[in-house]
Amino acid sequence: MKKFAVYFIAGVFVFGLFACSGKKVTRVGMEPEIDLSGQWNDTDSRMVSAEMIQDSLSRPWIDDFVQKHGRRPVIIAGDVLNRTDEHINTQTFVRDVEVAFTNSGRVTMVASSAQREAIRAERDDQARNAAAETVNRQGRESGADFMIQGQINSIRDQARGTQVIFYQVELELISIANNQRVWIGQKQIRKVIANRRFRT
């Protein structure tokens, strides 16, 4: 009986700790926009990447390439530089760009340099250890025709508890054969963040 009482009191104590913590977590879908700080977030990343890639695919470069080569262009994602004063995970944005390009069905995306190294190591391992009829050999990779690169810039202005953040995202598609820029895209976002404590 005493042991039960000890367990019961311990359970009540633990429950009380969680009940008094004041933290509540609610799972929400990806559809509603949630903007807590006003800084760059997942909604900005998805929206900007989708709009910019749609613009890219509506430009003449892609039809010119298909007409000349009779196939879809092959694209590799390069670096997108963060030139803002915020910590932005640009790899998430690069991934959103890759998803938008791939899902368009009009281009072929190839693996990044880091991914290629891992895949090449796997092919080496297959050459040593896999059955001959199942081996994927080296030297059959698809070369990229274009690399997409870019940067995210921001300007911040603030007065009397109101802050304005201006983001400018720039992407460019560069021909690997001759370094020509075949498309340059630009997207701006302006956010106004009002601190309620300063409202009159």
Side-chain angles (χ1 to χ4, degrees):
M1 186 69 181
K2 288 182 179 180
K3 185 179 288 187
F4 173 79
V6 170
Y7 285 136
F8 177 78
I9 293 171
V12 170
F13 177 73
V14 171
F15 176 79
L17 283 177
F18 282 105
C20 297
S21 66
K23 181 181 287 186
K24 181 181 178 183
V25 177
T26 304
R27 300 203 183 283
V28 296
M30 297 301 292
E31 199 57 37
E33 295 182 11
I34 300 175
D35 209 331
L36 300 179
S37 67
Q39 296 186 343
W40 180 272
N41 61 22
D42 62 313
T43 300
D44 300 318
S45 180
R46 290 193 308 274
M47 179 185 70
V48 169
S49 60
E51 289 186 14
M52 294 189 81
I53 297 313
Q54 184 178 6
D55 176 75
S56 168
L57 296 174
S58 69
R59 302 299 179 176
W61 72 271
I62 187 166
D63 291 330
D64 292 344
F65 184 91
V66 172
Q67 185 175 2
K68 182 177 180 180
H69 298 278
R71 61 174 175 82
R72 296 184 296 183
V74 179
I75 297 176
I76 186 170
D79 293 328
V80 174
L81 303 178
N82 174 20
R83 300 200 182 281
T84 73
D85 58 358
E86 302 173 24
H87 172 71
I88 295 177
N89 185 349
T90 57
Q91 290 305 308
T92 301
F93 179 68
V94 169
R95 189 60 179 169
D96 286 338
V97 168
E98 289 180 310
V99 168
F101 258 139
T102 301
N103 290 345
S104 74
R106 302 197 64 198
V107 304
T108 299
M109 292 292 302
V110 292
S112 68
S113 57
Q115 291 171 323
R116 288 198 306 273
E117 291 303 319
I119 294 168
R120 287 167 184 163
E122 170 60 21
R123 283 198 293 263
D124 284 339
D125 185 73
Q126 287 186 12
R128 290 190 301 271
N129 302 302
E133 64 272 14
T134 65
V135 171
N136 289 288
R137 306 186 188 285
Q138 299 283 16
R140 298 178 181 177
E141 298 180 15
S142 294
D145 302 300
F146 302 96
M147 176 179 283
I148 189 162
Q149 296 179 318
Q151 57 185 352
I152 305 174
N153 299 282
S154 70
I155 300 173
R156 191 182 300 266
D157 192 18
Q158 184 172 355
R160 292 185 55 81
T162 299
Q163 186 176 182
V164 177
I165 307 178
F166 171 78
Y167 295 100
Q168 180 164 293
V169 183
E170 298 171 354
L171 292 177
E172 54 187 6
L173 205 56
I174 302 171
S175 168
I176 294 178
N178 54 27
N179 293 335
Q180 291 181 357
R181 292 181 173 93
V182 298
W183 170 78
I184 299 176
Q186 199 175 75
K187 172 71 177 175
Q188 292 94 18
I189 300 175
R190 182 179 287 111
K191 295 186 177 186
V192 179
I193 307 159
N195 192 326
R196 294 177 180 176
R197 290 179 299 174
F198 292 89
R199 291 183 180 176
T200 57

